[in-house]
Amino acid sequence: MEIIGHFINGQLSTDTARTQAVYNPATGEILKQVAIASKATVEEAIAAAEQAFPAWRNTPVIKRARIMFKFKELLEQHADKICELIGLEHGKIVHDAAGELQRGIENVEYACGAPEFLKGEFSKNVGPNIDSWSELQPLGVVAGITPFNFPIMVPLWMFPMAIVCGNCFILKPSERDPSSTLYIAQLLKEAGLPDGVFNLVNGDKEAVDTLLQDRRIQAVSFVGSTPIAEYIYKTATAAGKRCQALGGAKNHAIIMPDADVDNVVNSLLGAAFGSSGERCMALSVAVAVGDEIADVVIEKLKTEIGKLKFGHFADKSNDFGPVITAEHKAKVITHIDSAEKQGAKIVVDGRHVAPQGYENGFFVGATLIDQVTPDMSSYQQEIFGPVLQIVRVSTMQEAMKLIDDHEYGNGTCIYTRDGEAARYFSDHIQVGMVGINVPLPVPVAYHSFGGWKRSLFGDLYAYGPDGARFYTHRKTITQRWPSANVREGKQFSMPTLN
Ligand code: NAD
């Protein structure tokens, strides 16, 4: 059986001591094995990156950007292959995979602007014959650790920016759907990236811990679940590294009584069930303000959910696919069971349904749960499945308090026609990414992405302007070239121009 290996110093390689099965989640079959990197393999990747760094750091930024232009072209040229690899191992439908790839490519496009955003700042004559400037220097060897749910987009949040800023990169993608990520690593080489600048190691905790402890790694970007994000942040920062660790979510949508119901229903369907709810920006809780709007929305959702199609990734008419593993399917079902036991009402039950011919796949049907309350564990925890829970409240303030009191603060949305309410909401809500009649307010590549509270550990967000800040050190240089016949006097007070 094929073993998905690593990409180190421009070469494919593999560890065979430990491997792990990679499934086709639509059928439940094992497709391939993935090599689980040993400490020694990760150290080999770090050594390759360290060796490549001096030359890469000194490569003119326009040349670094040109490789990104070429990489973007190759991603577009091989889009069908990339989407197929995503679909086979993740299960998301090809149109959704194409959306993921496109959002990733937009980060490559942003990185192509490095000659502009790395220009720095210059001030002439800050003192007599003194000039001062700030420049953004690369950190050295940096690492990224990424989740299964966006095997292409999330790595593309990280390495194009890190590389174009002059760093060398080690990526540890998810071991659950590794093929598409390994495939694009090889496109980087084809685009002209020198060996060792980008390295990919597949693996698990052993690989991650090696990256976190090795003194040659200067910074770590992480995206995944909150418990692991917290562990990564604490361990990396304790080892003196710069770290940004993005975690889980529970994204609420407030439905105000004046909202346009048909728009609400259509957009909730995609935002809750698209990608089987396995998005960190998925809307998993709808907070209806007033029973009247709750009843209307639920009735319409019920009808529309009945029309949704789920199944194999290659069938474009499907709305969503399976969840990632059998264990994850069991976890999602346990959450639905617990909501029911704790008194919620299952309006549409996706627990025991499967598309015809895919009975062994890891499918959960779209599920709608009403009468959910904040004390329920299904409300408190991230489900990460095609499950939409409805909480009923009486006022907007009550809805906002629910969101503010929740452990997570990634994304949120308000559906309303009232500009004043929307403005108040966006100004005060304790969440990092806010939509106003926009269900998935994922920032575009030229803004930055990040949540609040326990959805992000660290100070800088992912990609966009914060990405460039994260992957560079600012250095400020103050320079004087004294003229030969002017001697400086001694000065013991703090230098000023007075
Ligand atoms: P995960 O936390 O299980 O895994 C993420 C990465 O961490 C993987 O590369 C994995 O190999 C590694 N890892 C797992 N356990 C580890 C351990 N004990 N020690 C060290 N490394 C470990 O996450 P996942 O299941 O792959 O992805 C889903 C999660 O990611 C969800 O919680 C989702 O909300 C979150 N997510 C967040 C964002 C965001 O931007 N905030 C984006 C996408 C996904």
Side-chain angles (χ1 to χ4, degrees):
M1 182 170 279
E2 187 185 344
I3 298 182
I4 302 295
H6 320 298
F7 187 75
I8 299 174
N9 209 16
Q11 303 296 324
L12 289 170
S13 69
T14 190
D15 275 71
T16 44
R18 275 205 302 142
T19 61
Q20 186 175 311
V22 177
Y23 290 86
N24 175 345
T27 60
E29 290 162 335
I30 297 178
L31 284 173
K32 297 171 185 169
Q33 296 285 324
V34 60
I36 300 296
S38 65
K39 187 170 193 279
T41 299
V42 178
E43 285 174 345
E44 194 191 319
I46 299 172
E50 197 187 30
Q51 206 186 351
F53 178 62
W56 183 243
R57 167 195 200 282
N58 286 334
T59 302
V61 64
I62 189 77
K63 288 198 169 179
R64 301 198 298 246
R66 268 183 208 144
I67 293 172
M68 284 301 137
F69 274 111
K70 181 70 189 160
F71 180 51
K72 166 189 145 66
E73 235 174 79
L74 290 171
L75 289 171
E76 286 167 348
Q77 205 175 313
H78 295 279
D80 289 347
K81 175 72 182 171
I82 296 166
C83 292
E84 186 192 350
L85 290 173
I86 297 175
L88 268 171
E89 294 176 6
H90 177 284
K92 68 176 71 171
I93 311 304
V94 277
H95 51 73
D96 188 22
E100 154 167 11
L101 175 60
Q102 179 55 31
R103 290 302 290 260
I105 287 174
E106 288 168 15
N107 288 280
V108 182
E109 288 169 344
Y110 186 77
C112 290
E116 174 63 26
F117 61 69
L118 292 181
K119 269 195 316 208
E121 295 155 358
F122 183 86
S123 297
K124 195 175 168 70
N125 275 340
V126 294
N129 294 321
I130 300 176
D131 304 326
S132 182
W133 72 94
S134 296
E135 57 188 46
L136 298 170
Q137 297 197 344
L139 306 180
V141 182
V142 299
I145 299 151
T146 53
F148 80 84
N149 66 323
F150 286 110
I152 291 293
M153 184 182 80
V154 172
L156 289 177
W157 286 0
M158 300 175 182
F159 70 76
M161 174 60 82
I163 286 174
V164 90
C165 288
N167 301 284
C168 292
F169 201 89
I170 318 273
L171 177 67
K172 206 303 283 171
S174 172
E175 64 279 30
R176 288 186 259 176
D177 48 7
S179 295
S180 59
T181 328
L182 185 66
Y183 183 78
I184 68 165
Q186 294 162 81
L187 297 182
L188 273 175
K189 182 171 170 121
E190 200 180 327
L193 193 72
D195 291 349
V197 174
F198 175 85
N199 305 274
L200 181 156
V201 287
N202 276 303
D204 57 11
K205 185 169 165 53
E206 181 175 342
V208 172
D209 284 344
T210 306
L211 292 169
L212 293 178
Q213 298 299 347
D214 196 294
R215 58 166 182 80
R216 293 168 291 179
I217 301 286
Q218 305 300 323
V220 176
S221 299
F222 173 86
V223 175
S225 59
T226 286
I228 311 296
E230 187 167 26
Y231 166 73
I232 300 276
Y233 184 76
K234 286 185 173 160
T235 315
T237 51
K241 303 181 194 313
R242 187 177 283 190
C243 185
Q244 53 179 187
L246 283 72
K250 193 81 176 176
N251 306 311
H252 297 59
I254 298 183
I255 309 172
M256 295 292 284
D258 67 344
D260 175 331
V261 172
D262 289 330
N263 278 344
V264 169
V265 169
N266 281 339
S267 82
L268 270 180
L269 287 168
F273 306 123
S275 213
S276 307
E278 290 176 324
R279 292 181 182 140
C280 68
M281 290 293 277
L283 280 181
S284 50
V285 181
V287 188
V289 179
D291 281 331
E292 204 176 313
I293 188 113
D295 292 340
V296 178
V297 167
I298 288 170
E299 216 33 57
K300 289 203 176 214
L301 276 173
K302 211 164 117 182
T303 311
E304 293 301 319
I305 290 173
K307 298 179 197 162
L308 295 181
K309 263 191 81 190
F310 64 131
H312 192 265
F313 79 91
D315 180 348
K316 285 187 183 146
S317 68
N318 282 326
D319 298 304
F320 63 94
V323 298
I324 187 71
T325 55
E327 296 72 42
H328 190 56
K329 173 179 171 170
K331 187 182 140 196
V332 174
I333 290 176
T334 305
H335 277 300
I336 304 171
D337 291 345
S338 88
E340 189 173 37
K341 273 195 209 111
Q342 292 180 311
K345 182 178 161 204
I346 313 294
V347 181
V348 182
D349 190 349
R351 280 175 287 192
H352 305 292
V353 292
Q356 211 183 358
Y358 294 98
E359 289 76 9
N360 295 326
F362 312 140
F363 286 96
V364 181
T367 299
L368 181 64
I369 311 180
D370 188 15
Q371 309 286 0
V372 173
T373 52
D375 54 313
M376 295 179 182
S377 53
S378 66
Y379 173 81
Q380 288 159 3
Q381 293 168 29
E382 181 180 40
I383 299 178
F384 223 53
V387 180
L388 176 61
Q389 303 192 90
I390 310 281
V391 181
R392 293 167 179 248
V393 296
S394 310
T395 64
M396 175 174 157
Q397 294 299 345
E398 215 183 313
M400 286 179 65
K401 182 160 175 11
L402 268 181
I403 297 172
D404 288 348
D405 286 349
H406 205 283
E407 157 182 28
Y408 298 119
N410 216 40
T412 188
C413 162
I414 187 166
Y415 291 108
T416 184
R417 289 182 163 111
D418 179 343
E420 189 184 356
R423 194 163 186 274
Y424 182 85
F425 174 76
S426 66
D427 192 19
H428 291 90
I429 201 72
Q430 299 297 298
V431 171
M433 292 170 283
V434 178
I436 295 164
N437 298 314
V438 172
L440 295 177
V442 179
V444 289
Y446 37 100
H447 286 256
S448 296
F449 181 109
W452 286 14
K453 297 184 276 183
R454 288 173 61 75
S455 291
L456 174 84
F457 301 86
D459 304 309
L460 290 170
Y461 284 13
Y463 68 77
D466 265 15
R469 288 180 198 118
F470 184 79
Y471 292 120
T472 54
H473 278 303
R474 175 177 289 264
K475 184 179 276 182
T476 305
I477 298 140
T478 305
Q479 165 183 278
R480 166 156 58 193
W481 296 106
S483 87
N485 47 13
V486 177
R487 279 288 147 259
E488 283 190 40
K490 299 185 181 71
Q491 187 184 353
F492 295 95
S493 55
M494 186 67 189
T496 68
L497 282 183
N498 290 334

